[in-house]
Amino acid sequence: MDIKITPLKNITDQHYQLLLEADPNKQLIERYVQRAFCFEARDESDLVGILVLLPTRPDTLEVVNIAVIAEFRNQGIGRQLLMFAEEYARSNHYISLEIGTGTTSLAQHYLY
């Protein structure tokens, strides 16, 4: 699948639905997206995933939200988003890239 990852300027309802799959607190999402770097993954014109990176300390970037639309899961899109996050952090001179999860799901732990 040929995925294109680009900066996200305007968060639509479709983006919010996807963000809410990874973080069910809309108020929290609204707070962190205001100060984060947001990216969307598309397969041609179809939204397939989203990534939100938040600077937490001067040299640290955190993956605060990453989600892939259900029908596109298990196709390597999450891995591509994480590899993009790593390259973005490196090219923007961050020393650490962190990721945390509030879930014990094996699928998320396997991806991370």
Side-chain angles (χ1 to χ4, degrees):
M1 184 176 292
D2 186 28
I3 300 301
K4 185 173 182 181
I5 301 170
T6 58
L8 181 56
K9 293 179 179 27
N10 298 315
I11 299 176
T12 66
D13 287 340
Q14 186 181 20
H15 293 114
Y16 266 113
Q17 288 175 355
L18 193 50
L19 288 165
L20 287 165
E21 288 188 29
D23 186 347
N25 187 326
K26 188 171 182 178
Q27 290 79 20
L28 185 61
I29 292 170
E30 289 173 346
R31 284 200 309 259
Y32 64 67
V33 296
Q34 297 299 319
R35 49 196 175 93
F37 305 109
C38 303
F39 301 91
E40 65 179 358
R42 289 193 173 269
D43 176 30
E44 297 182 19
S45 63
D46 294 326
L47 176 67
V48 296
I50 196 161
L51 171 69
V52 181
L53 303 173
L54 181 66
T56 56
R57 292 185 294 283
D59 296 328
T60 303
L61 197 58
E62 181 180 354
V63 176
V64 292
N65 197 311
I66 182 171
V68 174
I69 291 181
E71 65 219 48
F72 293 98
R73 292 180 188 152
N74 299 311
Q75 298 181 37
I77 297 167
R79 182 178 307 277
Q80 288 179 52
L81 286 166
L82 286 176
M83 289 172 49
F84 175 87
E86 183 178 5
E87 181 55 36
Y88 182 86
R90 186 178 295 116
S91 65
N92 286 279
H93 310 290
Y94 289 95
I95 294 171
S96 297
L97 179 64
E98 298 178 340
I99 189 165
T101 181
T103 182
T104 58
S105 169
L106 292 177
Q108 280 94 341
H109 286 271
Y110 180 74
L111 174 63
Y112 305 152

